[in-house]
Amino acid sequence: MQLKDKVAFITGSASGIGKEIAIVFAREGAKVVIADLNKEAADATAAELKATGAQAIGVGMDVTNEDQVNAGVEEAAAAFGGIDILISNAGIQIVHPVEEFTFADWKKMLAIHLDGAFLTTKACLKHMYAQGRGGSVIYMGSVHSKEASLLKAPYVTAKHGLIGLCKTVAKEGAKYNVRANVICPGFVRTPLVEKQIPEQAKTLGITEAEVIKNVMLKETVDGEFTTTDDVAQVALMFAGFPTNALTGQSLVVSHGWFMQ
Ligand code: NAD
């Protein structure tokens, strides 16, 4: 029980990577907040966790909406007695070549990935600083926090930007024992990635199997997808780490796709 009674606020946790982190954290004793745009799916995920004996609540919110973020964090803090861990994970993907990207899609991507990270961080830090028991902020970056790929200009830009936010929060949070780190996964087969496979096949004029083998997994050491559990285990390590020795870092979990 590495996270016994810690309160974990996890955005985008009604699906994919965030949901797996919620499952692993609940198993480790955390009280988990399933914060997602899809309120129905958030409630269903919370109900699944409660059925296993965990403490969980679903909160409907759009991470780009300041009022909804503040209300969601206040609701969670009131229900569970504060906030100890933030996983800023909600995200989407839109792929086009730069010259075809609409300004509206560019802004939407930056809003979800960067404004969402900022707004949830600001709302949760308020509680972490006031509580005086430290905290852990974890951003869901990507290999695209370190490396670029075709067709993903705003995603790559936003994921690089999260590292800057993380480093600043690590410096400002240190005196309150609040740590900040970024997890940088390679391709994980979640709905976000399933959607990209046919889209990239169409844009690049190749088959879906070729997208997987020659685009997504080409640079890995073994041609394997990273799993949601791989990412959740790294989140657990960051969340449970007891000192400021591990802060301001970004860790790539990608089957060797990107080595630093
Ligand atoms: P997913 O589509 O399975 O889940 C994303 C969740 O975020 C969904 O439940 C969705 O409802 C929620 N969401 C979307 N917009 C939101 C908003 N505005 N406010 C609140 N919730 C919102 O995707 P995933 O693959 O699990 O991705 C989670 C994170 O991991 C994203 O930040 C993504 O960029 C990152 N990531 C994914 C991969 C991958 O290969 N899947 C790799 C690296 C990084």
Side-chain angles (χ1 to χ4, degrees):
M1 286 268 179
Q2 290 185 53
L3 302 179
K4 185 148 176 45
D5 293 332
K6 299 279 185 203
V7 180
F9 193 94
I10 311 173
T11 68
S13 49
S15 173
I17 292 171
K19 182 170 179 178
E20 187 70 28
I21 293 173
I23 292 167
V24 169
F25 279 25
R27 207 182 291 144
E28 292 295 331
K31 302 174 188 175
V32 295
V33 184
I34 310 298
D36 204 284
L37 189 60
N38 185 337
K39 165 80 169 139
E40 213 176 296
D43 286 341
T45 302
E48 274 175 46
L49 292 172
K50 281 199 276 191
T52 68
Q55 291 193 65
I57 54 167
V59 170
M61 61 173 222
D62 180 342
V63 295
T64 69
N65 181 309
E66 185 172 15
D67 291 338
Q68 290 183 22
V69 168
N70 289 342
V73 170
E74 289 315 308
E75 183 188 335
F80 286 150
I83 306 282
D84 299 292
I85 300 159
L86 165 65
I87 313 274
S88 171
N89 166 80
I92 62 164
Q93 180 63 280
I94 303 175
V95 292
H96 295 293
V98 173
E99 71 277 16
E100 289 173 20
F101 244 106
T102 65
F103 190 31
D105 277 347
W106 166 270
K107 284 193 278 196
K108 184 176 179 184
M109 286 294 287
L110 265 52
I112 294 174
H113 290 275
L114 286 179
D115 297 356
F118 165 71
L119 291 171
T120 49
T121 300
K122 186 177 173 191
C124 289
L125 281 183
K126 198 178 93 183
H127 290 278
M128 291 177 186
Y129 289 176
Q131 286 159 198
R133 55 183 199 238
S136 179
V137 178
I138 299 169
Y139 298 103
M140 199 52 64
S142 163
V143 163
H144 291 112
S145 299
K146 311 269 182 181
E147 182 58 278
S149 289
L150 298 172
L151 313 177
K152 297 188 175 173
Y155 189 81
V156 170
T157 303
K159 292 300 191 187
H160 274 67
L162 288 177
I163 291 186
L165 176 62
C166 162
K167 288 178 178 176
T168 310
V169 173
K171 290 198 174 191
E172 292 183 7
K175 62 177 180 287
Y176 303 98
N177 273 326
V178 170
R179 297 174 280 284
N181 293 286
V182 185
I183 304 175
C184 302
F187 281 101
V188 184
R189 224 161 165 176
T190 64
L192 180 140
V193 161
E194 293 295 348
K195 180 173 164 280
Q196 283 175 61
I197 297 170
E199 286 174 359
Q200 292 218 17
K202 193 163 163 238
T203 314
L204 299 172
I206 56 179
T207 67
E208 294 190 13
E210 284 167 340
V211 169
I212 293 172
K213 188 161 180 277
N214 300 335
V215 179
M216 293 183 165
L217 304 179
K218 183 166 179 248
E219 303 294 338
T220 62
V221 293
D222 52 9
E224 298 278 341
F225 278 101
T226 300
T227 68
T228 54
D229 188 60
D230 294 329
V231 181
Q233 294 303 328
V234 175
L236 178 59
M237 188 263 300
F238 276 134
F241 201 85
T243 74
N244 283 340
L246 190 57
T247 195
Q249 303 305 306
S250 48
L251 184 59
V252 180
V253 192
S254 71
H255 283 255
W257 165 13
F258 183 85
M259 298 189 190
Q260 49 185 356

